[in-house]
Amino acid sequence: MSSFAFITGATSGIGLATAKALAAKRYGLALAARNREKLEQVKKEIEDEMHVPVTCYVLDVRHPEEIQDVTERCLKELGTPRILLNDAGLARGLEPYGETKEEDILQMIDTNIKGLFLVTRAFLPAMLEKNEGHIVNLGSTAGLYAYAGAAVYCATKAAVKTFSDGIRIDVIDSDIKVTTIQPGIVETPFSEVRFHGDKERAAKVYEGVDALQAEDIANIIAFAVDQPKRVQISDIVIMANQQATGFMVSKKKK
Ligand code: NDP
Ligand code: 8X3
């Protein structure tokens, strides 16, 4: 594939919307997530409706050996991605830290930090060799403003921001760009995942708020990757109009 984007977390929410936004710009797609069935559905939908080639990779970014296998296959089968979108990520729980489950802590760290760091490490040498590529990492306003019950999630997103700033320094002599996207409240399955499948509780998060939509973030990512070679957008912070800081949201009464 000539110019393609490798997207982790491509089956839902922001990752899925960005896959479609990039397909509309005629990028080929290499899509990764854990659920094979969802990946195949997305592939079919995008190939049938948007007529761009899609390759699927079943990948759990928590497992380094899977990252190694998938990225090696991708480099061999498709070449070096022009865009790497590190979107796979999640929050688990919303309790004070003393009550946070160890498995939730580890899942957030392993997905949002370890996975993102290692996927980047796996593609970066090929990008450097080609002297081309754009790494786009999903941070969050949560990485800028901590909020109650989310110490670990907020810390993982702060790590994404600092990591991105660090690699931008390390690739300064190359043409590679690094961008951190830091959205506020986006209405996606994110809260359902956070609340372990409790749809009712998840729906309440977005009640009374004209929340950001995945497509809003996708359009902004598509804008960021479509700039002239000399332009590197380092960070983009996007809040809902009813939002002032990470978790300060004005809810409209019914
Ligand atoms: P979704 O839950 O809608 O999508 C998450 C995606 O990540 C899914 O495709 C999921 O697929 C994939 N994923 C989860 N765990 C793994 C894993 N271990 N390995 C590979 N893929 C994985 O959430 P959003 O679209 O809302 O979130 C996307 C990113 O944006 C996250 O990093 C999130 O932290 C960030 N973000 C979200 C905001 C929001 O308010 N929604 C605001 C700011 C940032 P599968 O389960 O099949 O693996
Ligand atoms: C997800 C948005 O506000 O729940 O990063 O932290 S928020």
Side-chain angles (χ1 to χ4, degrees):
M1 232 186 280
S2 57
S3 207
F4 74 98
F6 186 97
I7 303 177
T8 67
T11 51
S12 175
I14 297 167
L16 173 59
T18 308
K20 290 179 180 172
L22 294 178
K25 287 186 174 287
R26 314 312 305 158
Y27 282 97
L29 297 171
L31 305 182
R34 289 168 300 177
N35 186 310
R36 181 184 298 277
E37 213 173 297
K38 280 197 208 156
L39 278 169
E40 293 297 340
Q41 273 170 19
V42 171
K43 172 181 162 72
K44 186 168 180 344
E45 187 189 336
I46 293 179
E47 285 189 335
D48 287 356
E49 290 172 20
M50 306 182 83
H51 311 291
V52 300
V54 178
T55 306
C56 296
Y57 295 100
V58 177
L59 170 64
D60 186 331
V61 299
R62 290 174 295 176
H63 302 312
E65 64 289 353
E66 286 186 30
I67 293 177
Q68 195 184 342
D69 173 55
V70 162
T71 55
E72 274 175 11
R73 276 196 285 132
C74 175
L75 289 166
K76 207 166 146 202
E77 289 164 5
L78 307 178
T80 307
R82 149 96 171 78
I83 298 164
L84 167 60
L85 175 60
N86 280 310
D87 167 88
L90 77 186
R92 298 292 268 170
L94 191 65
E95 303 91 18
Y97 186 62
E99 296 163 29
T100 306
K101 293 190 191 77
E102 186 176 312
E103 65 183 87
D104 287 349
I105 296 171
L106 294 177
Q107 186 173 6
M108 286 186 270
I109 292 172
D110 289 350
T111 310
N112 303 0
I113 303 182
K114 193 177 90 184
L116 185 145
F117 286 15
L118 292 183
V119 172
T120 305
R121 178 64 183 82
F123 281 121
L124 189 54
M127 286 181 166
L128 284 167
E129 198 178 326
K130 227 177 151 189
N131 195 28
E132 184 191 80
H134 195 153
I135 299 165
V136 181
N137 292 330
L138 253 297
S140 168
T141 50
L144 304 172
Y145 312 90
Y147 60 85
V152 178
Y153 180 68
C154 294
T156 65
K157 291 301 177 179
V160 170
K161 154 78 180 138
T162 312
F163 172 70
S164 306
D165 290 345
I167 51 176
R168 193 177 307 106
I169 295 168
D170 291 345
V171 300
I172 192 169
D173 292 330
S174 77
D175 289 340
I176 291 162
K177 301 180 188 182
V178 184
T179 301
T180 312
I181 306 290
Q182 295 166 96
I185 186 168
V186 190
E187 191 171 359
T188 68
F190 174 86
S191 292
E192 203 181 314
V193 172
R194 159 171 266 170
F195 297 133
H196 299 269
D198 184 338
K199 286 189 199 304
E200 226 171 283
R201 191 173 174 202
K204 286 205 172 73
V205 172
Y206 308 106
E207 251 172 39
V209 187
D210 191 5
L212 296 163
Q213 299 298 304
E215 291 71 25
D216 300 329
I217 310 305
N219 290 338
I220 286 165
I221 294 172
F223 169 82
V225 297
D226 210 17
Q227 296 302 307
K229 192 171 159 188
R230 64 182 175 276
V231 178
Q232 175 175 222
I233 298 177
S234 62
D235 302 82
I236 306 182
V237 180
I238 312 123
M239 297 205 199
N241 202 353
Q242 284 171 256
Q243 186 169 22
T245 71
F247 217 59
M248 186 184 282
V249 174
S250 161
K251 294 234 176 192
K252 289 197 174 120
K253 298 213 170 58
K254 279 192 220 159

